[in-house]
Amino acid sequence: MSAARFLAVPFLLSVLAGAAPPPITLIANIPGRSTISLNGPWHFIVDPYETGLGERYYENAKPKDKSDRIEYDFDRSETLNVPGDWNTQKQELFFYEGPVWYQKTFSYRPREHSRVFLYFGAANYFTRVYLNGTKLGEHEGGFTPFNFEVTSLLRDGDNFAVAEVNNARRADGVPASRTDWWNFGGITRDVTLVEVPEVFIQDYSIQLAPGSLSEIAGWIQLSTHPIIALVTLEIPEAGIKKTVTTDLQGRAEFRLPIAITPWSPENPKLYEVTVSTALDTIRDSIGFRAIEARGQEILLNGKPVFLRGISLHEEAPIRGGRAYSPEDAQTLFGWAKELGCNFVRLAHYPHNENEIRLADRMGLLVWSEIPVYWDIDWKNSATLANAEAQLRDMIARDHNRASVIFWSLSNETPVEPARLEFLKRLADDARGLDSTRLITSALNHTQNTGTKRSLTDPVGQYLDVLGLNEYVGWYEARPEDADSIQWSAGYSKPLLITEFGADARFGRHGDAGTRWTEEYQANLYVHQLSMVNRIPGLAGLSPWVLMDFHSPRRPLPGIQDYFNRKGLISNQGERKLAFSVLQKFYRDKTATAH
Ligand code: GCU
């Protein structure tokens, strides 16, 4: 079908019908698009009383004459780097929670036949965005991307973007008011102008068909409907070139036989994939792997796999603050690989895309989680809608990543009816959005009789895999008590020990019974690892935690200093004794697996 006829159809129909193009949700694969970065210094105004809303800071106004009253001036205000949290960029903002206004001027030359979107990788927590004084919209949630169309608002020449970012904690938020991580505020990930054709490829899913190693199945969604168009899928290395026709909704589904080398941590094989229409072409690197749960086993490409994991926060090594760059990811995942890991639990919120794409390339299986953490306003429908939106966007951004095998709905939530309903809803949503991955949660409520402990949390019925957080030897009992404890799960589903650990200040030494020392932590690991080795059908573990991280709940002077010190590595990259205890355990596991 010629470009002209292709072009005519959608617009003719939509003009005739007077229907505006459907609102664009998240645009997939930003790294594969034509983009203009708006990263770098942005002017900022700290606004604890949110005066800027009433004073309309978003207009970026200047006094018209000597009598005009304008009580702010971005251009003469200091700057913050984007991406980056404000807490570690300005000492005086380390503890600050509240609204901060950001402003960036930039020049732009409009392109013919194209649409433009303003894309944020993330901003914590509640963000209002404006362009040239016009409000684009709002976003709630600190760890998922969002985009707004700006095609009609962009000027040929000078433009200014303003964003109010407010990281105030909210009892009805996700997360709610209490967390054990620092509430880093700001525009914490990339800001990008994304240029796409008038009708573009908005999203696609290209993966192995569930349960198959020799068939791919998926869909391609165009940005506009009603429309019928031809879309071509190419995977040259696998000899795939297939053209399919969309339905009237601009969606094409496909199922094709394919011969591939499956993606695995040992061989993270990625294929160059191109999806194209007459107007738009997008490229991606995709790995093909099968993941499923069978009884108590997790099968990767049809074979049982033991997950040698570690949990980590999205905190930057050495410099501290929210991690965002490929270098941050390289350092963190390099340490995980050095530990002997084939799995990382990214806690407790969706981490940045640089990490996920690096996991694809490095060969690390990923647990990705939304921050339904501890106590949430379970009965509040707005809180549920917020959690559902974060789940939807987490899946939308990463559903083509082979490394991601788990969607985790929550961490350590109380066993009560409203919570059960809430999590059931999220489990149904997740399965509706992506039936190819395993749904899980990190649980910590067990039934204990003497030394027998069983994970019987009712939410287990809605999950494919159970995560168990336990702190024997730290928050309860002594490290050696782990020797007599016998764990079991009330479900014949795969079980992971998703957290255990102990705080130790790097360089603090003493006997194994002295808390806060490296010896105490190493001793705890020795007892924990022999305990987990006795758990029948255990499918893996991800101890807490790779690196010490900032937490407002940890003030102990000279030891914690607002760091959770359960890292196997200090925030300065120093390995503690327990690092080699776990490294040896994984080396032995790998040896026995072969
Ligand atoms: C909890 C929680 C973590 C926390 C850890 C700890 O289980 O999931 O977020 O940091 O334990 O107390 O160190």
Side-chain angles (χ1 to χ4, degrees):
M1 185 187 291
S2 73
R5 273 183 61 212
F6 170 91
L7 257 184
V9 173
F11 293 103
L12 186 60
L13 284 176
S14 61
V15 173
L16 282 178
I24 294 294
T25 50
L26 213 47
I27 299 178
N29 188 8
I30 298 303
R33 308 269 180 184
S34 148
T35 58
I36 297 166
S37 173
L38 293 182
N39 286 352
W42 287 54
H43 291 284
F44 76 99
I45 298 174
V46 179
D47 182 15
Y49 292 16
E50 210 165 33
T51 310
L53 274 181
E55 294 290 318
R56 300 194 305 281
Y57 286 4
Y58 48 82
E59 290 177 352
N60 189 31
K62 297 288 177 196
K64 289 185 206 52
D65 56 48
K66 65 181 179 185
S67 70
D68 200 6
R69 179 191 62 82
I70 301 289
E71 297 192 63
Y72 67 94
D73 184 343
F74 279 114
D75 296 335
R76 284 194 296 127
S77 301
E78 285 185 77
T79 61
L80 283 169
N81 273 324
V82 166
D85 60 274
W86 59 62
N87 313 72
T88 55
Q89 290 190 60
K90 303 283 175 196
Q91 187 53 42
E92 64 274 24
L93 296 179
F94 188 60
F95 286 95
Y96 180 71
E97 295 184 297
V100 169
W101 292 83
Y102 284 79
Q103 177 256 25
K104 176 96 176 169
T105 55
F106 62 94
S107 72
Y108 182 75
R109 307 296 334 255
R111 289 196 327 181
E112 284 255 289
H113 303 305
S114 69
R115 296 170 70 180
V116 189
F117 292 80
L118 183 56
Y119 182 96
F120 288 76
N124 190 46
Y125 172 77
F126 188 84
T127 307
R128 293 188 176 92
V129 185
Y130 307 79
L131 185 72
N132 298 332
T134 300
K135 188 171 184 180
L136 301 176
E138 302 178 344
H139 182 263
E140 181 167 1
F143 305 99
T144 45
F146 50 101
N147 47 233
F148 303 105
E149 176 150 20
V150 292
T151 313
S152 59
L153 294 168
L154 271 175
R155 298 174 186 149
D156 187 349
D158 292 341
N159 295 269
F160 65 91
V162 171
E164 180 205 2
V165 183
N166 186 345
N167 72 335
R169 284 166 291 122
R170 309 161 54 125
D172 63 355
V174 179
S177 310
R178 272 184 341 115
T179 68
D180 190 28
W181 68 80
W182 206 266
N183 184 23
F184 293 116
I187 303 178
T188 50
R189 295 180 190 159
D190 297 346
V191 181
T192 313
L193 280 177
V194 185
E195 296 173 311
V196 287
E198 274 150 349
V199 179
F200 61 96
I201 299 160
Q202 187 195 337
D203 196 358
Y204 50 89
S205 170
I206 305 166
Q207 296 185 70
L208 285 176
S212 166
L213 283 173
S214 59
E215 238 189 341
I216 54 171
W219 47 265
I220 294 158
Q221 176 66 56
L222 299 185
S223 58
T224 293
H225 58 85
I227 185 172
I228 293 181
L230 297 180
V231 186
T232 300
L233 168 65
E234 292 170 77
I235 312 176
E237 211 185 328
I240 297 273
K241 180 163 184 166
K242 177 80 180 168
T243 298
V244 286
T245 308
T246 70
D247 61 18
L248 209 46
Q249 298 316 313
R251 186 183 176 90
E253 312 232 340
F254 60 84
R255 199 181 178 98
L256 301 170
I258 191 169
I260 45 98
T261 303
W263 181 99
S264 70
E266 294 73 29
N267 181 14
K269 169 71 184 159
L270 298 177
Y271 287 79
E272 294 315 306
V273 174
T274 302
V275 179
S276 58
T277 65
L279 281 188
D280 195 12
T281 297
I282 187 148
R283 292 182 179 75
D284 206 343
S285 303
I286 297 180
F288 298 101
R289 56 95 190 95
I291 191 77
E292 59 188 298
R294 188 183 61 192
Q296 289 193 298
E297 290 181 322
I298 294 175
L299 306 185
L300 176 66
N301 300 326
K303 296 197 199 73
V305 61
F306 184 86
L307 301 180
R308 305 185 309 272
I310 191 76
S311 295
L312 62 143
H313 266 290
E314 187 191 42
E315 186 153 339
I318 321 297
R319 77 163 193 277
R322 242 327 132 231
Y324 57 78
S325 69
E327 297 72 31
D328 295 336
Q330 188 64 50
T331 304
L332 293 168
F333 287 4
W335 289 338
K337 277 280 185 181
E338 190 193 327
L339 259 177
C341 292
N342 61 3
F343 170 55
V344 284
R345 174 176 176 227
L346 305 182
H348 293 289
Y349 37 77
H351 286 209
N352 63 76
E353 193 171 351
N354 289 320
E355 284 187 21
I356 308 295
R357 286 189 177 267
L358 182 60
D360 262 18
R361 293 194 301 274
M362 273 179 102
L364 282 168
L365 296 158
V366 167
W367 165 301
S368 189
E369 183 165 289
I370 52 173
V372 174
Y373 180 90
W374 288 348
D375 227 341
I376 294 278
D377 195 351
W378 306 109
K379 296 197 178 88
N380 183 327
S381 59
T383 303
L384 176 59
N386 177 358
E388 290 185 297
Q390 295 192 38
L391 179 70
R392 179 201 64 211
D393 295 342
M394 169 174 79
I395 295 176
R397 190 195 71 186
D398 296 337
H399 65 92
N400 283 309
R401 307 277 73 79
S403 55
V404 181
I405 57 171
F406 293 121
W407 299 126
S408 171
L409 310 175
S410 67
N411 179 76
E412 297 191 353
T413 50
V415 176
E416 56 182 74
R419 167 259 195 182
L420 193 59
E421 241 350 89
F422 193 107
L423 294 183
K424 178 182 181 314
R425 178 73 165 267
L426 292 177
D428 295 343
D429 288 355
R431 288 205 173 81
L433 291 162
D434 177 10
S435 59
T436 69
R437 288 182 175 80
L438 302 171
I439 309 303
T440 188
S441 269
L443 312 173
N444 64 336
H445 293 276
T446 56
Q447 243 167 352
N448 306 348
T449 32
T451 58
K452 291 203 172 345
R453 300 190 177 198
S454 181
L455 181 59
T456 55
D457 186 326
V459 78
Q461 66 193 294
Y462 306 127
L463 306 176
D464 301 312
V465 170
L466 310 175
L468 169 64
N469 295 359
E470 52 83 15
Y471 279 89
V472 173
W474 186 255
Y475 290 122
E476 50 141 339
R478 296 161 309 150
E480 48 277 15
D481 294 332
D483 303 348
S484 58
I485 293 178
Q486 190 50 58
W487 293 93
S488 65
Y491 302 88
S492 62
K493 296 181 179 186
L495 174 68
L496 304 175
I497 299 289
T498 35
E499 289 187 34
F500 69 77
D503 283 60
R505 176 78 188 230
F506 173 77
R508 192 178 179 87
H509 292 286
D511 60 46
T514 305
R515 257 181 212 270
W516 314 111
T517 63
E518 291 190 42
E519 286 76 12
Y520 188 107
Q521 185 190 47
N523 178 47
L524 179 132
Y525 267 72
V526 169
H527 289 282
Q528 280 287 327
L529 294 172
S530 82
M531 177 186 76
V532 297
N533 236 0
R534 285 185 289 107
I535 301 177
L538 184 76
L541 63 157
S542 56
W544 192 260
V545 66
L546 178 66
M547 182 187 83
D548 294 353
F549 60 93
H550 276 105
S551 167
R553 303 176 69 249
R554 312 292 174 175
L556 187 61
I559 293 180
Q560 294 178 317
D561 298 322
Y562 289 113
F563 278 91
N564 181 312
R565 297 286 183 191
K566 293 191 179 69
L568 295 176
I569 299 180
S570 76
N571 54 301
Q572 291 306 316
E574 302 139 321
R575 286 148 188 70
K576 304 176 191 175
L577 294 177
F579 183 95
S580 27
V581 174
L582 185 61
Q583 190 181 46
K584 180 175 180 321
F585 179 81
Y586 284 161
R587 201 172 291 142
D588 299 349
K589 270 276 171 209
T590 312
T592 48
H594 291 118

Coordinates of all heavy atoms in Angstrom, one line a residue, residues 180-181 313 345 348 373-374 411-412 444 469 471 475 499 503 544 549 553-554 564 566, ligand 1:
D180 N 11.8 2.1 54.3 CA 13.2 2.0 54.9 C 14.2 2.3 53.7 O 15.2 1.7 53.5 CB 13.5 0.5 55.4 CG 14.8 0.5 56.1 OD1 15.2 1.5 56.7 OD2 15.4 -0.6 56.1
W181 N 13.8 3.3 52.9 CA 14.8 3.9 52.0 C 14.6 5.4 51.9 O 13.6 5.9 52.4 CB 14.6 3.3 50.6 CG 13.3 3.6 49.8 CD1 13.1 4.7 49.1 CD2 12.2 2.8 49.7 NE1 11.8 4.7 48.5 CE2 11.2 3.5 48.9 CE3 11.8 1.5 50.1 CZ2 10.0 3.0 48.5 CZ3 10.6 1.0 49.8 CH2 9.7 1.7 49.0
H313 N 18.9 -1.8 46.1 CA 18.2 -0.5 45.9 C 18.8 0.2 44.7 O 19.9 -0.1 44.3 CB 18.2 0.3 47.1 CG 17.1 0.2 48.1 ND1 15.8 0.6 47.8 CD2 17.0 -0.4 49.3 CE1 15.0 0.3 48.8 NE2 15.7 -0.3 49.7
R345 N 17.2 -9.0 42.7 CA 15.9 -8.5 43.1 C 16.0 -7.0 43.2 O 16.7 -6.5 44.1 CB 15.4 -9.1 44.4 CG 14.1 -8.5 44.9 CD 13.6 -9.1 46.2 NE 12.4 -8.4 46.6 CZ 12.2 -8.0 47.9 NH1 13.1 -8.3 48.8 NH2 11.1 -7.4 48.2
H348 N 12.5 -1.6 46.0 CA 11.1 -2.1 46.1 C 10.2 -1.4 45.1 O 9.1 -1.2 45.4 CB 10.6 -1.8 47.5 CG 11.3 -2.6 48.6 ND1 11.2 -4.0 48.7 CD2 12.2 -2.2 49.5 CE1 12.0 -4.3 49.8 NE2 12.6 -3.3 50.3
Y373 N 4.3 -1.3 49.6 CA 5.3 -1.6 50.6 C 4.8 -1.4 52.0 O 4.3 -0.3 52.3 CB 6.5 -0.7 50.4 CG 7.7 -0.9 51.3 CD1 8.8 -1.8 51.0 CD2 7.9 -0.1 52.4 CE1 9.9 -1.9 51.8 CE2 9.0 -0.2 53.3 CZ 10.0 -1.1 53.0 OH 11.1 -1.2 53.8
W374 N 4.9 -2.4 52.9 CA 4.4 -2.4 54.3 C 2.9 -2.0 54.3 O 2.2 -2.6 53.5 CB 5.3 -1.4 55.1 CG 6.6 -2.0 55.4 CD1 7.0 -3.3 55.2 CD2 7.8 -1.3 56.0 NE1 8.3 -3.5 55.7 CE2 8.8 -2.2 56.1 CE3 8.0 0.0 56.4 CZ2 10.1 -1.9 56.6 CZ3 9.3 0.3 56.9 CH2 10.3 -0.7 57.1
N411 N 5.6 -5.9 49.0 CA 6.7 -6.3 49.9 C 6.2 -6.2 51.4 O 5.8 -5.1 51.8 CB 7.9 -5.5 49.7 CG 9.0 -5.9 50.7 OD1 9.7 -6.9 50.5 ND2 9.2 -5.1 51.8
E412 N 6.2 -7.3 52.1 CA 5.9 -7.3 53.5 C 4.6 -6.5 53.9 O 4.7 -5.5 54.6 CB 7.1 -6.7 54.3 CG 8.3 -7.5 54.1 CD 9.5 -7.1 55.1 OE1 9.3 -6.1 55.8 OE2 10.5 -7.9 55.1
N444 N 6.1 -12.0 54.6 CA 6.9 -12.2 55.8 C 6.0 -12.7 57.0 O 6.5 -12.6 58.1 CB 7.6 -10.9 56.2 CG 6.7 -9.8 56.5 OD1 5.5 -9.8 56.1 ND2 7.1 -8.8 57.3
N469 N 10.6 -13.2 53.2 CA 11.6 -12.3 53.9 C 11.7 -12.8 55.3 O 10.6 -12.9 56.0 CB 11.2 -10.9 53.9 CG 11.1 -10.3 52.5 OD1 11.4 -10.9 51.5 ND2 10.7 -9.0 52.4
Y471 N 14.2 -12.7 59.0 CA 15.4 -12.1 59.7 C 15.8 -12.8 60.9 O 16.0 -12.2 62.0 CB 15.1 -10.6 59.9 CG 15.3 -9.8 58.6 CD1 14.3 -9.6 57.7 CD2 16.6 -9.3 58.3 CE1 14.5 -8.9 56.5 CE2 16.8 -8.7 57.1 CZ 15.8 -8.4 56.2 OH 16.0 -7.8 55.0
Y475 N 16.4 -9.5 63.5 CA 15.3 -8.9 64.2 C 14.7 -9.9 65.2 O 13.9 -9.5 66.1 CB 14.2 -8.5 63.2 CG 14.7 -7.3 62.4 CD1 14.7 -7.4 61.0 CD2 15.1 -6.1 63.0 CE1 15.1 -6.3 60.2 CE2 15.5 -5.0 62.2 CZ 15.5 -5.1 60.9 OH 16.0 -4.0 60.1
E499 N 14.7 -12.2 51.3 CA 15.5 -11.3 52.2 C 15.9 -12.1 53.5 O 15.1 -12.8 54.0 CB 14.7 -10.1 52.7 CG 14.4 -9.0 51.6 CD 13.8 -7.8 52.2 OE1 14.1 -7.4 53.4 OE2 13.0 -7.2 51.5
D503 N 23.0 -6.0 59.7 CA 23.8 -4.7 59.6 C 25.3 -4.9 60.1 O 25.5 -5.5 61.1 CB 23.2 -3.6 60.4 CG 22.0 -3.0 59.8 OD1 21.0 -3.7 59.6 OD2 22.0 -1.8 59.5
W544 N 19.4 -9.7 51.6 CA 19.3 -8.3 51.8 C 20.6 -7.7 52.4 O 20.8 -7.8 53.6 CB 18.1 -8.0 52.7 CG 17.8 -6.5 52.7 CD1 18.1 -5.6 53.7 CD2 17.0 -5.8 51.7 NE1 17.6 -4.3 53.3 CE2 17.0 -4.4 52.1 CE3 16.4 -6.1 50.5 CZ2 16.3 -3.5 51.3 CZ3 15.8 -5.2 49.7 CH2 15.8 -3.9 50.2
F549 N 22.7 1.4 52.0 CA 21.9 2.4 51.3 C 21.3 3.4 52.3 O 21.1 3.0 53.5 CB 20.8 1.8 50.5 CG 19.8 0.9 51.3 CD1 18.6 1.5 51.8 CD2 20.1 -0.4 51.6 CE1 17.8 0.7 52.6 CE2 19.2 -1.2 52.3 CZ 18.0 -0.6 52.8
R553 N 15.5 5.8 58.7 CA 15.1 5.1 59.9 C 16.4 4.5 60.6 O 16.2 3.7 61.6 CB 14.2 3.9 59.5 CG 12.9 4.3 58.8 CD 12.1 3.1 58.4 NE 11.5 2.5 59.5 CZ 11.9 1.2 59.9 NH1 12.8 0.6 59.3 NH2 11.3 0.7 61.0
R554 N 17.6 4.9 60.2 CA 18.8 4.3 60.7 C 19.8 5.4 61.2 O 20.8 5.6 60.5 CB 19.4 3.5 59.6 CG 18.5 2.6 58.8 CD 18.0 1.4 59.7 NE 17.0 0.6 59.0 CZ 16.5 -0.5 59.5 NH1 16.8 -0.9 60.7 NH2 15.6 -1.2 58.8
N564 N 21.3 2.1 56.0 CA 21.0 0.7 56.3 C 22.3 0.0 56.0 O 22.7 0.0 54.8 CB 19.8 0.2 55.6 CG 19.5 -1.3 55.8 OD1 20.4 -2.1 55.8 ND2 18.2 -1.5 56.1
K566 N 23.1 -3.2 55.9 CA 23.0 -4.7 55.6 C 23.7 -5.0 54.3 O 23.7 -6.2 53.8 CB 21.6 -5.2 55.6 CG 20.9 -5.1 57.0 CD 19.6 -5.8 57.0 CE 19.0 -5.7 58.4 NZ 18.6 -4.2 58.7
Ligands
GCU1 C1 12.6 -5.3 55.4 C2 12.3 -4.6 54.2 C3 13.5 -3.8 53.6 C4 14.3 -3.3 54.8 C5 14.9 -4.5 55.5 C6 15.6 -4.1 56.8 O1 12.3 -6.6 55.4 O2 11.7 -5.3 53.1 O3 13.0 -2.8 52.9 O4 15.3 -2.5 54.4 O5 13.8 -5.4 55.9 O6 15.0 -4.0 57.8 O7 16.8 -3.9 56.6

